[in-house]
Each structure stands twice: as structure tokens, then as C-alpha cells.
């Protein structure tokens, strides 16, 4: 439990001649409040006549209220992901969405409007004001119940995913725990596990489809209520995308098709030849192509956390100390288990000034990628936690993902056991090569296809409210982006993939961020190959800016460039492919060195 002051500590503070009542907060007590307990704070802020003399104090008064509300909502949501069967947690979150959130949204709409119309916002708020104006544009009373319903659908989706288990080797396990089997050299066993997983996912297809229709109904009505002719326009503004447009995102998907997909095909061809298979099947994509045992980075979860902590101290004293704070305060939910939401995330508790990392580790090399990724988000939260106003911490999601994806690469010099990390030198080279292959796979097999998918869906809303039409579109795009793997006889399982994407269901249009961020991350990595300390310094300085400058300026501060064109993407992909080839060549000598001690 984190230390905090009691909510009941009330004191007075004068702003511009108006006496305010303030509080400092204890999440546990404030989470029990009803709207009547919150209302006085908003009423006092609304009653204040803003001027250049008092606006900074007014914003400072708003900070603790907005932070406490965000902390409550975040903690309630986290509780539903760590245990998808926790009915009390689900009920508490739904109570907040139904009884508190609509009033809060309306109150913030009034305060945001007041600030914008006053014309006296401080210079430091000029970039955040773009997001505030977007909130004003999107606010609609009729949408409050729809937003609450969308959040409930998110919980229902998590519950379906969390309940997906299979019988394997005499045990009932979550699907995630089949992942190590795909590293095994026994091809028949890999195929058996893969089919078992796909059949279990297929069992929930009707449930996913029912949810999909509800999501589409809700989102279509939300857009209509705000006067938009399609949901993409609504989503674009809700994601605070001020520095690029949908056409830029579409250009980027076309660049992926032109530049990345051929590289992915080459990598698949090389893998097939190394495995000496006639065709490469979907259950052959994770096994080591040289038939080596899977990399096992750690002994147990405690060992995993300790090794990760050691790496962050190698990166720098501040990153190390911040990771230690998270470890000490039980803010790391790392291990996979039944009835836990899928995937991984990092979120932030603004009153406690602590991030929280959630993931599903099963002792595979991608656990290392995930923990470094989510820790990058966490370090970003630490870096901008002391900005003056809450709105200044709203960095664009496209740069938030640079923070995480760049950290995956910036940590690479410290992954060996020599530095307290996970691997021998030869294993680290193998891991790094696999990781860079993952960058290619993400662009071609994940980001490109899912971005293109959603742009088509939400600009043809009624047609794609039918999951069968989504299936047809998914298969069309799959044929374009997912080349080089033989799915013959199992084409129906391809349709499981879009239903298993929590981002497609729960966070529409949250995908272009990853693709753009990988370009930024590779550019930062290129800088680090020349000057590791200098690249880390620029990266850290950029994180500390939060949302106080534009997206292109954040990329520039980190030593990168925001771009959507095939030429810029090709520069990044060429570097990744050349590094993969270099690491592959070096592995033989490193294996000899590890074996013979020379």
C-alpha cells in the first residue's frame, strides 16, 4: 500500500480573492465518494472569474481533484484486469462509470470551456490546450451513457479472454501458457498445441461477434451525436491527433506493404530453408530455425524482476531507482495466470506518483521485450510527473510508444549476465537478432494490417458492423500483408486473429502509434550504435517534456524524425535487416567463445 494523506484533511486557500476548499487524497476513502462529495470542488472552480492574475493558481487548484479522480478510475480498472472474475471489482468500476463519471465529464466540460473562453491560459498550456479544445468538441450529454456502455463491453471482452483455457499435458492452463510449446523442436507437438489453441478461440467466436455488433452500434451513435459522419473522425480527435491526418496513416500502411512485407518474406524464406521444410506453417514461426532449445531468460518471476532491475541500474541510476520503487511497492503484476486479462500495459497512478506494470510472463524471450517495453512507459511517467499542470503530462500516444519501443533497444548492451542480465553473450546475440526480426514482424504482420483494417471498417460503419464482412476484409488484407506462410487447410483460423486483438475491440485506431514509434525507436537505436550515452541523454530529455511540445518536436528532441513515407521507413528497415544479418554471422563465434571460454 502506498503512503498517502487522508482525504479528510481539509484546508482553505485563497485564489484571486476567492476562498477555496482543498484536499489531499487517500484513494481508498475517495473511491467511496458519491458525486455529492465531489461536486463542491467543481462548483468553487466554476464560480471563479478567471484572470491573468489567478489562472495559474486556479489550474493548481484543479490539479489534485483531477489527479484523484484519475487515480480512482485507474485503480478500479486495474483491479478488473488482474482478476477478470472479481465481481466486486467489476461492480465498483461500473458504479464509477455510471454514477460518477458522467457528472465528472460534464463538470470538466464546463471548466475546460471556461479556461478556453477566458483567453488567459498560461503560455505553458498552449500545446495542452489543443487537447482541451478536443475534449470540448467531443463532449455530448447523450454520449455519457454510451461511453459507460463501451467501458462495460471492454470488461466483457476481458472476461471472455480471461476464461480461455485448455487441457495440456494433464493440466488446465491459460492459452498464453501454450506459447512455450511453440519453441519446442518437436513439430508435431507444436502443431497439436496450435490447433488446440485455435479451436479454443473459435469456440468464443459467436460471443466476440455479439460484442462486436454492440461496439459498432455504440461507436456509430457516439460519432453521430457529435455531428461526425463517421467514427474515424470522432476517434481521431479523441486520440488528440493534431499533427497528422488519416491520409498520413494510410500512406504509412502503403509504405509498409512496399518496404517491409518483402523483407518479411525474405526472413520467412530463410527460416524455411534453415528448418529444411517444404513449406513454413503457422506453428513454425517461433521455434529456433537451428533447432536450439528456447531461450529461458530467468528461473522464476522474482529472478526475472531482479535481473530487470539490474539492467535498469546499468542504464542509469535514476531508471534503476525508479524500477526499485515499483518493485518495492508491489507495482509489478508480471506472471501469467488464469482469469487474468490478456496482454500487457503500463498505467500511472497520479496521486501516488507511481506507474504500474501488468503483463503475462511465461519464461520466454518475449517476456524480456514486454518488460522493457512497459518499463519504458513507466520511466516516461516518472520523467514527466512533476510538470506543473496535469494537462501537460498528456504526451501524444505516438511518442508514448517511442518511449517504450526505444527502451527495448536502448537496453540491449546490458542484457548479458555480465551486467546482471538474462543471457550469455551468444544468447544475447540470438535474442537481439530475434528481437529485430520482431520489429519487422510487427510492422508487416500486425501494424500494417490492423491499421488498414480499421480505416476501412470505420469509414464503412454499417457494412462492417456485420462480423462476416469484417472476416472478408481481414482475409483480403491478410493475403497482402502476411505472405510467406502456408495456411492451407487452416484458413478459417485466420479469422480468430482479429477477434483476439484487444486493440481492435477495445481501443480502435490505437495501432498507428506502434508503427510510427518503431521508426522513431530505430532512429534512436541508430544514434545509440554511434553514441549510447548521447542517445540515452536525448531520449531522457524528450521524455521529460511530457505533452508541452508538438509530436514532431518530441521526435526531434529524442533524435528522431516523425515520418510516414516509404523512404524514411526503408532507412529504418535497412538498418534492422543489416543488424539481423550481422548478429546472425556473429553467433557462431560467440557460441564457440561461450563453450570454450576463449
Amino acid at each position: 500500500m502506498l503512503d498517502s494523506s487522508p482525504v479528510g484533511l481539509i484546508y482553505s486557500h485563497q485564489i484571486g480573492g476567492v476562498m477555496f476548499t482543498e484536499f489531499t487524497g487517500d484513494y481508498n476513502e475517495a473511491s467511496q465518494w458519491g458525486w455529492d462529495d465531489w461536486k463542491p470542488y467543481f462548483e468553487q472552480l466554476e464560480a471563479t472569474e478567471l484572470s491573468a492574475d489567478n489562472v495559474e493558481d486556479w489550474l493548481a487548484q484543479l490539479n489534485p481533484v483531477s489527479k484523484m479522480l484519475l487515480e480512482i478510475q485507474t485503480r478500479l480498472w486495474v483491479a478488473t484486469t488482474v482478476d477478470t472474475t472479481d465481481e466486486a471489482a467489476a461492480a465498483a468500476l461500473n458504479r464509477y462509470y455510471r454514477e460518477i463519471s458522467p457528472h465528472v465529464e460534464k463538470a470538466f466540460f464546463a471548466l475546460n470551456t471556461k479556461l478556453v473562453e477566458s483567453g488567459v491560459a498560461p503560455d505553458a498550456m498552449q500545446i495542452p490546450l489543443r487537447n482541451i479544445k478536443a475534449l470540448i468538441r467531443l463532449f455530448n450529454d447523450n454520449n455519457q451513457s454510451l461511453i459507460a456502455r463501451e467501458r462495460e463491453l471492454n470488461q466483457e471482452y476481458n472476461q471472455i479472454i480471461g476464461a480461455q483455457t485448455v487441457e495440456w499435458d494433464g493440466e488446465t492452463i491459460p492459452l498464453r501458457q501454450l506459447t512455450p510449446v511453440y519453441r519446442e523442436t518437436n513439430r508435431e507437438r507444436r502443431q497439436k498445441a496450435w490447433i488446440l489453441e485455435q479451436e479454443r478461440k473459435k469456440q468464443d467466436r459467436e460471443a466476440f461477434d455479439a460484442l462486436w455488433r454492440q461496439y459498432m452500434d455504440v461507436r456509430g451513435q457516439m460519432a453521430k451525436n457529435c455531428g461526425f459522419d463517421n467514427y474515424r473522425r470522432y476517434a481521431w480527435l479523441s486520440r488528440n491527433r493534431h499533427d497528422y491526418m488519416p491520409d498520413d496513416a494510410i500512406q504509412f500502411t502503403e509504405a509498409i506493404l512496399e518496404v517491409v512485407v518483402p523483407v518479411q518474406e525474405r526472413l520467412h524464406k530463410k527460416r524455411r530453408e534453415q528448418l529444411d521444410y517444404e513449406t513454413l506453417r503457422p506453428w513454425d514461426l517461433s521455434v529456433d530455425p537451428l533447432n536450439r532449445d528456447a531461450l529461458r531468460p530467468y528461473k522464476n518471476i522474482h529472478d526475472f524482476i531482479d535481473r530487470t532491475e539490474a539492467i535498469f541500474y546499468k542504464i542509469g541510476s535514476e531508471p534503476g531507482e525508479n524500477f526499485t520503487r515499483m518493485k518495492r511497492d508491489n507495482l509489478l503484476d508480471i506472471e501469467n495466470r488464469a482469469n487474468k486479462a490478456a496482454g500487457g500495459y503500463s498505467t500511472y497512478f497520479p496521486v501516488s506518483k507511481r506507474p504500474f506494470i501488468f503483463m503475462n510472463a511465461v519464461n520466454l524471450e518475449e517476456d524480456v521485450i514486454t518488460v522493457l517495453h512497459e518499463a519504458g512507459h513507466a520511466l516516461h511517467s516518472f520523467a514527466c510527473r512533476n510538470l506543473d499542470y496535469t494537462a501537460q503530462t498528456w504526451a501524444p500516444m505516438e511518442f508514448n510508444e517511442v518511449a517504450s519501443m526505444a527502451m527495448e533497444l536502448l537496453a540491449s548492451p546490458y542484457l548479458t549476465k555480465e551486467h546482471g542480465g538474462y543471457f550469455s553473450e551468444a544468447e544475447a546475440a540470438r535474442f537481439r537478432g530475434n528481437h529485430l526480426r520482431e520489429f519487422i514482424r510487427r510492422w508487416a504482420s500486425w501494424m500494417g494490417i490492423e491499421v488498414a483494417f480499421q480505416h476501412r471498417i470505420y469509414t464503412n460503419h454499417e457494412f462492417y458492423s456485420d462480423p462476416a464482412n469484417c472476416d472478408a476484409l481481414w482475409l483480403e488484407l491478410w493475403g497482402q500483408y502476411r505472405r510467406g506462410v502456408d495456411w492451407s487447410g487452416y484458413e478459417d483460423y485466420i479469422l480468430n486473429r482479429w477477434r483476439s486483438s484487444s486493440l481492435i475491440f477495445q481501443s480502435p485506431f490505437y495501432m498507428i502509434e506502434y508503427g510510427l514509434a518503431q521508426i522513431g525507436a530505430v532512429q534512436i537505436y541508430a544514434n545509440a550504435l554511434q553514441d549510447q550515452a548521447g542517445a540515452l541523454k536525448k531520449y531522457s530529455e524528450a521524455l521529460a517534456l511530457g505533452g508541452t511540445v508538438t509530436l514532431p518536436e518530441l521526435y526531434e528532441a529524442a533524435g528522431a524524425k516523425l515520418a510516414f513515407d516509404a523512404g524514411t521507413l526503408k532507412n529504418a528497415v535497412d538498418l534492422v535487416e543489416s543488424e539481423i544479418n550481422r548478429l546472425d554471422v556473429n553467433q557462431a563465434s560467440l557460441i564457440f567463445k561461450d563453450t570454450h571460454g576463449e
Side-chain angles (χ1 to χ4, degrees):
M1 183 66 64
L2 299 175
D3 293 336
S4 58
S5 304
V7 163
L9 180 57
I10 305 293
Y11 59 96
S12 295
H13 180 57
Q14 188 164 329
I15 298 178
V18 178
M19 191 66 69
F20 280 83
T21 302
E22 290 189 359
F23 68 90
T24 56
D26 174 3
Y27 153 76
N28 291 300
E29 184 173 343
S31 66
Q32 303 303 311
W33 285 10
W35 171 242
D36 287 343
D37 298 299
W38 291 103
K39 187 177 179 181
Y41 302 106
F42 287 98
E43 288 179 335
Q44 290 178 94
L45 289 160
E46 174 63 21
T48 304
E49 188 71 27
L50 286 181
S51 69
D53 293 331
N54 71 1
V55 67
E56 292 186 7
D57 284 338
W58 185 86
L59 287 166
Q61 174 66 21
L62 178 60
N63 265 356
V65 179
S66 58
K67 286 181 178 180
M68 178 58 74
L69 284 162
L70 184 55
E71 176 124 354
I72 289 170
Q73 180 177 331
T74 304
R75 285 185 178 269
L76 290 173
W77 173 74
V78 165
T80 68
T81 66
V82 299
D83 183 357
T84 58
T85 66
D86 188 336
E87 295 181 1
L93 181 59
N94 286 334
R95 169 188 170 272
Y96 180 88
Y97 287 155
R98 292 289 183 184
E99 300 178 14
I100 306 296
S101 186
H103 295 290
V104 168
E105 297 290 337
K106 186 179 293 187
F108 272 109
F109 169 74
L111 296 181
N112 288 335
T113 302
K114 184 181 190 70
L115 177 63
V116 169
E117 291 181 349
S118 74
V120 295
D123 289 343
M125 283 288 290
Q126 292 311 304
I127 296 300
L129 268 181
R130 301 189 305 175
N131 298 338
I132 290 172
K133 290 175 181 177
L135 289 173
I136 294 171
R137 171 66 181 86
L138 292 174
F139 179 80
N140 184 289
D141 251 341
N142 294 325
N143 276 351
Q144 297 313 300
S145 62
L146 295 172
I147 291 170
R149 179 58 186 147
E150 184 182 37
R151 289 164 172 167
E152 290 173 358
L153 292 173
N154 289 344
Q155 290 184 57
E156 292 175 33
Y157 181 88
N158 285 341
Q159 288 164 357
I160 294 171
I161 293 290
Q164 288 182 335
T165 60
V166 292
E167 295 294 321
W168 183 258
D169 286 346
E171 295 183 53
T172 301
I173 60 172
L175 294 185
R176 171 68 176 158
Q177 291 184 25
L178 283 175
T179 308
V181 182
Y182 304 136
R183 303 296 195 279
E184 295 180 9
T185 57
N186 185 323
R187 196 183 193 194
E188 290 183 1
R189 189 170 154 86
R190 295 199 308 270
Q191 180 181 2
K192 180 182 177 181
W194 185 84
I195 293 172
L196 183 66
E197 176 177 351
Q198 298 307 318
E199 280 295 317
R200 178 61 188 88
K201 288 180 175 179
K202 187 177 177 180
Q203 289 176 21
D204 289 325
R205 193 171 292 181
E206 289 186 7
F208 284 131
D209 288 354
L211 276 183
W212 180 255
R213 294 183 185 96
Q214 294 177 73
Y215 272 118
M216 293 296 279
D217 287 346
V218 165
R219 289 168 182 158
Q221 190 60 51
M222 287 164 60
K224 186 180 296 185
N225 288 346
C226 288
F228 295 116
D229 59 6
N230 64 65
Y231 180 74
R232 183 176 70 175
R233 293 184 61 198
Y234 176 96
W236 214 258
L237 199 57
S238 73
R239 296 206 169 277
N240 296 317
R241 291 179 180 156
H242 309 294
D243 297 309
Y244 69 100
M245 300 303 291
D247 284 348
D248 296 313
I250 293 170
Q251 179 191 10
F252 185 65
T253 64
E254 293 168 350
I256 289 174
L257 200 55
E258 175 187 341
V259 173
V260 186
V261 170
V263 176
Q264 179 73 94
E265 280 193 282
R266 286 199 294 273
L267 293 175
H268 282 330
K269 181 175 183 290
K270 181 178 180 180
R271 166 177 282 272
R272 180 183 61 77
E273 291 171 347
Q274 288 176 317
L275 288 166
D276 195 24
Y277 293 161
E278 289 187 9
T279 62
L280 193 67
R281 304 290 265 170
W283 49 85
D284 298 328
L285 300 179
S286 299
V287 66
D288 182 73
L290 301 180
N291 280 315
R292 293 169 292 189
D293 290 335
L295 291 172
R296 300 290 183 178
Y298 49 90
K299 298 174 184 176
N300 52 51
I301 290 298
H302 297 296
D303 181 53
F304 184 32
I305 291 172
D306 289 346
R307 290 177 186 276
T308 306
E309 182 181 29
I311 288 169
F312 277 103
Y313 274 103
K314 288 294 182 181
I315 293 170
S317 59
E318 186 172 359
E321 289 164 4
N322 285 333
F323 193 87
T324 296
R325 289 187 181 97
M326 298 183 70
K327 173 184 172 181
R328 180 194 65 207
D329 294 335
N330 297 317
L331 294 168
L332 304 169
D333 188 340
I334 301 294
E335 192 169 20
N336 174 253
R337 59 180 178 271
N339 300 315
K340 184 176 181 181
Y345 64 79
S346 175
T347 191
Y348 185 62
F349 303 136
V351 173
S352 310
K353 292 189 175 183
R354 294 289 192 275
F356 174 83
I357 291 177
F358 172 99
M359 55 181 285
N360 282 275
V362 290
N363 199 9
L364 290 174
E365 59 189 279
E366 58 255 51
D367 295 343
V368 173
I369 299 173
T370 302
V371 78
L372 294 174
H373 180 103
E374 301 304 344
H377 283 309
L379 294 180
H380 196 185
S381 298
F382 277 119
C384 59
R385 70 189 184 277
N386 292 321
L387 288 167
D388 290 336
Y389 309 119
T390 302
Q392 291 178 305
T393 66
W394 300 342
M397 291 308 303
E398 295 82 355
F399 189 73
N400 290 346
E401 297 300 344
V402 171
S404 57
M405 290 182 161
M407 181 49 64
E408 296 175 25
L409 298 171
L410 289 170
S412 59
Y414 313 111
L415 298 176
T416 59
K417 292 176 181 177
E418 174 189 0
H419 297 295
Y422 318 102
F423 305 118
S424 68
E425 284 191 56
E427 289 171 337
R430 176 180 165 191
F431 169 85
R432 292 176 66 188
N434 289 345
H435 182 205
L436 291 172
R437 288 181 180 86
E438 180 68 8
F439 265 60
I440 300 298
R441 188 192 72 84
R442 287 172 182 169
W443 268 317
S445 302
W446 182 23
M447 299 162 189
I449 188 173
E450 293 198 15
V451 172
F453 184 66
Q454 296 192 73
H455 277 267
R456 289 271 291 276
I457 283 171
Y458 289 111
T459 53
N460 300 274
H461 198 106
E462 184 175 352
F463 183 75
Y464 288 112
S465 293
D466 183 347
N469 294 330
C470 294
D471 286 343
L473 173 60
W474 187 255
L475 289 173
E476 173 193 335
L477 293 170
W478 190 275
Q480 296 173 17
Y481 286 89
R482 301 289 294 262
R483 301 201 294 261
V485 179
D486 179 10
W487 283 74
S488 58
Y490 300 99
E491 292 87 350
D492 186 58
Y493 291 152
I494 295 172
L495 303 178
N496 287 339
R497 180 61 185 84
W498 74 269
R499 292 174 174 85
S500 299
S501 171
S502 61
L503 293 179
I504 287 177
F505 272 73
Q506 298 179 318
S507 303
F509 290 98
Y510 189 83
M511 184 57 68
I512 185 68
E513 290 89 342
Y514 291 115
L516 297 175
Q518 281 201 171
I519 292 182
V522 172
Q523 291 172 332
I524 293 169
Y525 177 57
N527 297 337
L529 290 174
Q530 302 300 317
D531 178 8
Q532 173 79 5
L536 277 166
K537 182 174 184 294
K538 289 178 75 72
Y539 165 85
S540 300
E541 290 171 349
L543 298 192
L545 293 172
T548 61
V549 299
T550 67
L551 180 60
E553 288 171 328
L554 284 168
Y555 271 68
E556 184 179 358
K561 176 187 176 183
L562 177 68
F564 308 87
D565 62 285
T568 304
L569 179 59
K570 188 175 188 304
N571 289 336
V573 171
D574 284 350
L575 173 63
V576 172
E577 189 173 19
S578 67
E579 280 291 287
I580 290 171
N581 292 333
R582 182 184 66 81
L583 288 163
D584 285 352
V585 168
N586 287 348
Q587 280 189 57
S589 62
L590 288 169
I591 291 170
F592 183 89
K593 178 181 176 182
D594 279 355
T595 304
H596 296 84
E598 296 178 11

